[in-house]
Short mmCIF file of all heavy atoms in Angstrom, two decimals:
data_model
loop_
_atom_site.label_atom_id
_atom_site.label_comp_id
_atom_site.label_asym_id
_atom_site.label_seq_id
_atom_site.Cartn_x
_atom_site.Cartn_y
_atom_site.Cartn_z
N ARG A 64 17.14 13.43 -5.21
CA ARG A 64 18.42 13.09 -5.86
C ARG A 64 18.28 12.03 -6.90
O ARG A 64 19.17 11.80 -7.70
CB ARG A 64 19.44 12.66 -4.80
CG ARG A 64 19.86 13.83 -3.96
CD ARG A 64 20.92 13.50 -2.97
NE ARG A 64 21.39 14.75 -2.39
CZ ARG A 64 22.49 14.87 -1.65
NH1 ARG A 64 23.21 13.81 -1.40
NH2 ARG A 64 22.86 16.04 -1.18
N MET A 69 21.82 11.52 -8.75
CA MET A 69 22.84 11.46 -7.71
C MET A 69 22.61 10.19 -6.88
O MET A 69 23.51 9.68 -6.22
CB MET A 69 22.82 12.70 -6.83
CG MET A 69 23.32 13.96 -7.56
SD MET A 69 23.10 15.44 -6.61
CE MET A 69 24.45 15.31 -5.49
N ARG A 93 22.52 16.28 -15.51
CA ARG A 93 22.62 17.26 -14.42
C ARG A 93 22.85 18.66 -14.91
O ARG A 93 22.43 19.63 -14.28
CB ARG A 93 23.76 16.85 -13.50
CG ARG A 93 23.45 15.57 -12.71
CD ARG A 93 24.66 15.02 -12.01
NE ARG A 93 24.39 13.71 -11.48
CZ ARG A 93 25.32 12.78 -11.30
NH1 ARG A 93 26.60 13.00 -11.66
NH2 ARG A 93 25.00 11.60 -10.83
N ARG A 94 23.54 18.82 -16.05
CA ARG A 94 23.77 20.16 -16.55
C ARG A 94 22.47 20.82 -17.02
O ARG A 94 22.39 22.05 -17.13
CB ARG A 94 24.78 20.12 -17.71
CG ARG A 94 26.17 19.86 -17.21
CD ARG A 94 27.17 19.59 -18.33
NE ARG A 94 28.32 18.91 -17.78
CZ ARG A 94 29.36 18.46 -18.52
NH1 ARG A 94 29.33 18.62 -19.85
NH2 ARG A 94 30.39 17.88 -17.92
N ILE A 100 21.64 23.46 -2.89
CA ILE A 100 21.72 22.66 -1.66
C ILE A 100 21.84 23.57 -0.44
O ILE A 100 22.02 24.76 -0.55
CB ILE A 100 22.82 21.63 -1.66
CG1 ILE A 100 24.19 22.27 -1.69
CG2 ILE A 100 22.63 20.67 -2.79
CD1 ILE A 100 25.29 21.25 -1.56
N GLY A 104 26.91 25.33 -1.14
CA GLY A 104 27.87 24.52 -1.85
C GLY A 104 28.70 25.28 -2.88
O GLY A 104 29.08 24.76 -3.88
N PRO A 107 34.79 27.47 -2.94
CA PRO A 107 35.46 28.54 -2.21
C PRO A 107 36.61 29.17 -2.98
O PRO A 107 36.98 30.30 -2.70
CB PRO A 107 36.02 27.77 -0.97
CG PRO A 107 36.06 26.36 -1.37
CD PRO A 107 34.95 26.17 -2.33
N HIS A 108 37.16 28.43 -3.97
CA HIS A 108 38.32 28.94 -4.71
C HIS A 108 37.96 29.73 -5.92
O HIS A 108 38.82 30.11 -6.70
CB HIS A 108 39.24 27.79 -5.07
CG HIS A 108 38.59 26.78 -5.99
ND1 HIS A 108 37.43 26.09 -5.64
CD2 HIS A 108 38.91 26.35 -7.22
CE1 HIS A 108 37.12 25.29 -6.64
NE2 HIS A 108 37.98 25.44 -7.64
N ARG A 149 34.25 38.95 -5.61
CA ARG A 149 34.64 38.46 -4.28
C ARG A 149 34.63 36.93 -4.27
O ARG A 149 34.13 36.29 -5.14
CB ARG A 149 33.62 38.95 -3.23
CG ARG A 149 33.62 40.44 -3.18
CD ARG A 149 33.30 40.91 -1.79
NE ARG A 149 33.22 42.36 -1.76
CZ ARG A 149 32.60 43.05 -0.83
NH1 ARG A 149 31.99 42.40 0.14
NH2 ARG A 149 32.62 44.35 -0.84
N TYR A 150 35.17 36.42 -3.16
CA TYR A 150 35.15 35.00 -2.95
C TYR A 150 34.02 34.66 -1.98
O TYR A 150 33.59 35.51 -1.17
CB TYR A 150 36.49 34.52 -2.37
CG TYR A 150 37.58 34.55 -3.43
CD1 TYR A 150 38.53 35.58 -3.46
CD2 TYR A 150 37.65 33.54 -4.39
CE1 TYR A 150 39.49 35.60 -4.45
CE2 TYR A 150 38.64 33.58 -5.38
CZ TYR A 150 39.53 34.61 -5.41
OH TYR A 150 40.50 34.65 -6.39
N PHE A 152 33.66 33.19 0.83
CA PHE A 152 33.73 33.41 2.26
C PHE A 152 33.54 34.87 2.66
O PHE A 152 33.36 35.17 3.82
CB PHE A 152 35.12 32.91 2.79
CG PHE A 152 36.26 33.85 2.53
CD1 PHE A 152 36.64 34.79 3.48
CD2 PHE A 152 36.93 33.82 1.32
CE1 PHE A 152 37.68 35.65 3.22
CE2 PHE A 152 37.96 34.69 1.05
CZ PHE A 152 38.33 35.62 2.02
N GLN A 153 33.59 35.73 1.68
CA GLN A 153 33.41 37.17 1.96
C GLN A 153 31.92 37.57 1.99
O GLN A 153 31.59 38.74 2.18
CB GLN A 153 34.15 38.02 0.92
CG GLN A 153 35.67 37.81 1.02
CD GLN A 153 36.40 38.48 -0.15
OE1 GLN A 153 36.10 38.22 -1.30
NE2 GLN A 153 37.33 39.36 0.13
N HIS B 115 29.49 19.46 1.04
CA HIS B 115 28.47 20.15 0.23
C HIS B 115 29.04 20.71 -1.06
O HIS B 115 28.35 20.83 -2.05
CB HIS B 115 27.74 21.17 1.07
CG HIS B 115 28.59 22.30 1.57
ND1 HIS B 115 28.68 23.53 1.00
CD2 HIS B 115 29.41 22.35 2.63
CE1 HIS B 115 29.52 24.29 1.68
NE2 HIS B 115 29.98 23.59 2.70
N VAL B 116 30.37 21.04 -1.02
CA VAL B 116 30.99 21.53 -2.24
C VAL B 116 31.15 20.38 -3.26
O VAL B 116 30.84 20.54 -4.44
CB VAL B 116 32.38 22.14 -1.91
CG1 VAL B 116 33.15 22.46 -3.20
CG2 VAL B 116 32.20 23.39 -1.05
N GLN B 118 29.36 17.66 -3.35
CA GLN B 118 27.99 17.30 -3.80
C GLN B 118 27.51 18.26 -4.87
O GLN B 118 26.89 17.86 -5.83
CB GLN B 118 27.00 17.38 -2.62
CG GLN B 118 27.31 16.42 -1.52
CD GLN B 118 26.63 15.10 -1.71
OE1 GLN B 118 25.98 14.88 -2.73
NE2 GLN B 118 26.81 14.20 -0.74
N SER B 119 27.76 19.53 -4.63
CA SER B 119 27.19 20.50 -5.60
C SER B 119 27.96 20.38 -6.93
O SER B 119 27.38 20.56 -7.98
CB SER B 119 27.21 21.92 -5.06
OG SER B 119 28.46 22.49 -5.08
N VAL B 121 29.04 17.56 -8.21
CA VAL B 121 28.40 16.43 -8.84
C VAL B 121 27.07 16.90 -9.47
O VAL B 121 26.75 16.64 -10.63
CB VAL B 121 28.14 15.30 -7.84
CG1 VAL B 121 27.28 14.17 -8.47
CG2 VAL B 121 29.45 14.72 -7.34
N ALA B 122 26.29 17.64 -8.65
CA ALA B 122 24.95 18.04 -9.09
C ALA B 122 24.98 19.00 -10.29
O ALA B 122 24.06 19.08 -11.03
CB ALA B 122 24.18 18.65 -7.93
N GLY B 124 26.97 18.72 -12.69
CA GLY B 124 27.27 17.98 -13.90
C GLY B 124 28.77 17.92 -14.22
O GLY B 124 29.13 17.76 -15.38
N GLY B 133 39.25 20.47 -11.33
CA GLY B 133 38.69 21.83 -11.26
C GLY B 133 38.22 22.24 -9.88
O GLY B 133 38.09 23.42 -9.59
N ILE B 138 41.08 23.05 -4.16
CA ILE B 138 40.73 23.31 -2.76
C ILE B 138 41.69 22.65 -1.82
O ILE B 138 41.87 23.10 -0.68
CB ILE B 138 39.22 22.87 -2.51
CG1 ILE B 138 38.30 23.73 -3.36
CG2 ILE B 138 38.86 22.97 -1.04
CD1 ILE B 138 36.85 23.31 -3.29
N PRO B 212 44.44 32.89 -3.56
CA PRO B 212 44.06 34.16 -2.97
C PRO B 212 42.83 34.04 -2.05
O PRO B 212 42.69 34.74 -1.07
CB PRO B 212 43.73 35.05 -4.16
CG PRO B 212 43.48 34.08 -5.27
CD PRO B 212 44.33 32.89 -5.00
N TRP B 213 41.99 33.06 -2.38
CA TRP B 213 40.76 32.86 -1.59
C TRP B 213 41.10 32.36 -0.21
O TRP B 213 40.37 32.59 0.73
CB TRP B 213 39.85 31.87 -2.31
CG TRP B 213 40.57 30.60 -2.73
CD1 TRP B 213 41.28 30.42 -3.86
CD2 TRP B 213 40.60 29.38 -2.02
NE1 TRP B 213 41.78 29.15 -3.89
CE2 TRP B 213 41.39 28.49 -2.77
CE3 TRP B 213 40.05 28.94 -0.80
CZ2 TRP B 213 41.62 27.20 -2.35
CZ3 TRP B 213 40.32 27.65 -0.39
CH2 TRP B 213 41.11 26.79 -1.17
N ARG B 217 41.23 34.69 3.33
CA ARG B 217 40.45 34.23 4.44
C ARG B 217 41.23 34.36 5.76
O ARG B 217 40.73 34.81 6.76
CB ARG B 217 40.07 32.78 4.23
CG ARG B 217 39.19 32.21 5.31
CD ARG B 217 39.11 30.70 5.20
NE ARG B 217 38.84 30.33 3.83
CZ ARG B 217 37.96 29.33 3.48
NH1 ARG B 217 37.33 28.72 4.44
NH2 ARG B 217 37.81 29.02 2.26
N GLY B 233 35.02 43.27 3.85
CA GLY B 233 34.56 42.26 2.92
C GLY B 233 33.32 41.54 3.40
O GLY B 233 32.48 41.18 2.58
#
Side-chain angles (χ1 to χ4, degrees):
Chain A
R64 291 184 171 193
M69 288 173 79
R93 291 170 190 150
R94 287 171 199 175
I100 65 174
H108 62 299
R149 300 211 182 160
Y150 288 101
F152 78 94
Q153 295 170 304
Chain B
H115 61 99
V116 171
Q118 297 270 4
S119 77
V121 172
I138 294 175
W213 51 276
R217 183 192 312 221

